[in-house]
Amino acid sequence: MTDQSKKVKKDPIDNSKYSLDTHLIYGKNISKKWDYSYHVTAPISSSTTFRLDSVERGAQGFQEFGHLESELSDNPHIYIYDRLGEPNKDMLEENLADVEGGEMAVTFASGMGAISGVLGVLLKSGDEIITHKTLYGCTISLFNNWYPKFNINVLADDLTKLNNFEAKLNENVRVIYFETPANPNLDIIDIPALRVIVDKINKNRSEERKIKIVVDNTFATPYCQRPLTLGADFVVHSLTKGIGGFGADMGGVVIGPNIYRAMLLLYRKDFGGVLNTKSAWAILTYGLPSLALRQRQQIATAMKVAEFLENHPKVEFVNYPGLKSYKYYELAKKLMIDFDGKFAPGSMIFFALKGNDPEEGRENGRKLMNYIAENAYTMTLAVSLGHTRTLIEHPASMTHSVVPADKLIDRGINPGGVRLAIGIETADDIILDLKESLEKI
Ligand SMILES: *Cc1c(COP(=O)(O)O)cnc(C)c1O
């Protein structure tokens, strides 16, 4: 509700005048979801229920819930109950949509909540989904443990090789789902090339049977890559990671076309995976405004650490999109671009140690991580990523333990591979700890 006597600050008419860096700090300057134009920092709302002036207004609120026309109209929004929507989540959603270049966003309690949400809305029994073979472990678990129950067929393919891909897009395929860079091996998938193939198939399909491209952009964050601008239909994030940025809150988001907002809100209302209001506030207040600052520091450090590892005699290989030696370097340079158009290869590194055979290489990786767990100051043995602290982990036995040992190679995961998620420490300090640890093992 806007008090006419107040001088309402408008969103700049021409947003393109300002850099996205600055835009992350000011965000969508004014929201019709909640007038807080005299607050410099957004206030916290933590009311699960909302006062309604009359039964009629209550009825109108329920009627308008999730309807595109009421979302887009200038009428004040009627809030009812947290699970349907409330100001902190709504403001965060407006800003997340903005930074990814999407029309709308719907938040969820976690990244897995967001992935289940978008796929729950797009798929039904009998449909098929094609995924990249290398995926976050719990996403593989979702597909292996639950989708057979729903009669949804999942084909794990190598999406780094798109020749002959068209032939795999049978009538039942409705979604292509992948991460780029992929967790944990940093495979890069050519989103624009995939878009061309999917458009060709979609030309002959009715609207509701068109294939949708869904990209998990958690590893890159919108600072390094905006998949919707490259040809994806939907983006999902774990807000727990780089966007949240401090390892203090869990969250997830789906970003995509306006026409899907109603279905996503309905899904969230009925399945119940709502983002906590205080977490929404924290991500809006701390995560987004500091995203560019943190990412720039992490990328600069990741580059130095990757170069150090690449030149170390005990290291077998280093996957980092910023290394010229990386097999997807040229493709990464096209897709991973910061707000100023500069190459932004991200904060994640995957590497393995040498051994006389794969078993010895794996054993050396285990020794290194255990040495670091006990002795390093700047690296912590822990899952998760996009934190202020550098985190190191062993995907085969931790984040991807759902993959059986004999299937790791098929899934693109080197059994001895080490995942390094760079934080905001000084690069030289991380290198100091790595150097000492590599010497000692
Ligand atoms: C962590 C992660 C998820 C899941 O996010 P949660 O917030 O932990 O549910 C999904 N995808 C990727 C790539 C991740 O790293």
Side-chain angles (χ1 to χ4, degrees):
M1 275 162 275
T2 305
D3 176 350
Q4 293 304 320
S5 64
K6 282 204 230 169
K7 245 183 117 192
V8 174
K9 235 178 133 182
K10 292 256 162 18
D11 261 342
I13 307 283
D14 180 10
N15 279 336
S16 61
K17 266 203 321 200
Y18 302 101
S19 71
L20 262 166
D21 263 34
T22 295
H23 216 55
L24 273 172
I25 295 158
Y26 286 87
K28 296 212 35 104
N29 196 4
I30 183 102
S31 168
K32 70 173 207 250
K33 297 299 175 72
W34 197 12
D35 181 2
Y36 63 99
S37 49
Y38 283 102
H39 287 75
V40 174
T41 299
I44 295 188
S45 165
S46 63
S47 185
T48 56
T49 191
F50 292 82
R51 185 176 64 80
L52 297 156
D53 303 323
S54 63
V55 173
E56 289 72 23
R57 193 171 155 78
Q60 190 190 341
F62 273 98
Q63 238 166 41
E64 286 180 1
F65 169 68
H67 276 210
L68 192 54
E69 306 85 74
S70 52
E71 287 280 334
L72 298 177
S73 91
D74 281 332
N75 295 333
H77 191 77
I78 303 173
Y79 283 114
I80 300 169
Y81 187 63
D82 183 338
R83 189 155 33 73
L84 281 65
E86 56 72 47
N88 282 139
K89 283 194 270 290
D90 280 5
M91 289 189 295
L92 175 64
E93 287 166 4
E94 286 177 344
N95 281 285
L96 287 169
D98 207 41
V99 69
E100 276 285 3
E103 288 179 355
M104 66 86 208
V106 174
T107 54
F108 287 85
S110 66
M112 289 316 300
I115 294 165
S116 311
V118 68
L119 296 178
V121 161
L122 294 175
L123 295 167
K124 61 171 173 17
S125 172
D127 286 345
E128 230 177 272
I129 161 170
I130 299 183
T131 74
H132 183 50
K133 60 186 178 152
T134 309
L135 288 171
Y136 175 57
C138 295
T139 308
I140 294 177
S141 173
L142 173 73
F143 295 152
N144 288 354
N145 291 323
W146 299 98
Y147 279 29
K149 258 174 81 155
F150 305 146
N151 188 30
I152 293 167
N153 192 32
V154 183
L155 173 72
D157 194 25
D158 184 353
L159 298 187
T160 64
K161 298 187 177 74
L162 291 174
N163 42 323
N164 286 328
F165 185 66
E166 215 178 304
K168 293 168 188 155
L169 299 176
N170 71 59
E171 259 305 297
N172 295 328
V173 174
R174 299 294 315 285
V175 170
I176 299 167
Y177 181 92
F178 56 93
E179 300 155 5
T180 181
N183 187 351
N185 69 356
L186 301 155
D187 272 356
I188 307 270
I189 290 153
D190 193 341
I191 308 172
L194 195 62
R195 179 80 257 166
V196 172
I197 298 170
V198 169
D199 276 347
K200 220 168 114 189
I201 301 285
N202 278 348
K203 243 191 358 224
N204 304 315
R205 291 196 179 197
S206 63
E207 195 51 42
E208 66 287 357
R209 297 211 61 79
K210 284 196 195 311
I211 298 169
K212 302 293 179 196
I213 300 173
V214 182
V215 177
D216 180 339
N217 198 31
T218 300
F219 263 31
T221 81
Y223 180 81
C224 297
Q225 176 176 264
R226 289 153 307 281
L228 297 176
T229 66
L230 296 167
D233 295 294
F234 292 90
V235 164
V236 294
H237 278 284
S238 166
L239 299 174
T240 317
K241 314 289 173 56
I243 294 181
F246 295 86
D249 292 281
M250 295 209 88
V253 67
V254 178
I255 303 159
N258 261 335
I259 46 164
Y260 284 91
R261 182 163 166 85
M263 281 296 276
L264 285 161
L265 287 177
L266 192 67
Y267 183 98
R268 186 178 71 178
K269 171 177 85 66
D270 297 342
F271 284 82
V274 286
L275 180 64
N276 181 300
T277 56
K278 284 119 181 153
S279 297
W281 177 84
I283 296 164
L284 180 69
T285 304
Y286 305 122
L288 277 179
S290 63
L291 176 66
L293 197 63
R294 288 182 286 107
Q295 283 291 313
R296 270 197 292 273
Q297 170 79 5
Q298 289 175 347
I299 293 166
T301 300
M303 195 66 222
K304 282 193 193 165
V305 170
E307 277 168 354
F308 164 79
L309 286 171
E310 187 179 33
N311 292 315
H312 197 284
K314 287 189 179 172
V315 173
E316 174 78 26
F317 71 84
V318 183
N319 290 358
Y320 179 63
L323 288 178
K324 284 204 176 73
S325 61
Y326 188 43
K327 65 175 165 177
Y328 302 113
Y329 175 74
E330 289 302 329
L331 180 57
K333 269 208 313 197
K334 281 200 292 187
L335 307 185
M336 302 184 77
I337 301 291
D338 72 12
F339 302 146
D340 299 324
K342 285 205 298 281
F343 185 30
S347 60
M348 301 298 296
I349 298 169
F350 187 68
F351 69 98
L353 297 186
K354 282 185 186 154
N356 288 321
D357 52 56
E359 200 41 55
E360 199 188 6
R362 187 185 166 116
E363 182 56 18
N364 287 339
R366 190 188 64 78
K367 276 194 210 148
L368 176 73
M369 283 177 281
N370 276 338
Y371 186 88
I372 286 171
E374 271 190 52
N375 301 290
Y377 184 51
T378 64
M379 282 173 284
T380 305
L381 182 68
V383 300
S384 202
L385 55 118
H387 201 285
T388 49
R389 296 184 183 201
T390 294
L391 307 178
I392 190 166
E393 66 117 3
H394 182 222
S397 55
M398 297 175 191
T399 48
H400 293 70
S401 56
V402 65
V403 180
D406 62 335
K407 293 279 184 316
L408 283 166
I409 302 289
D410 291 348
R411 286 278 181 185
I413 302 167
N414 182 296
V418 178
R419 193 185 80 178
L420 197 52
I422 298 295
I424 59 174
E425 306 91 337
T426 300
D428 290 345
D429 288 345
I430 300 168
I431 291 170
L432 183 86
D433 276 343
L434 270 173
K435 194 162 175 233
E436 187 190 298
S437 307
L438 282 162
E439 262 164 28
K440 290 285 161 61
I441 60 150

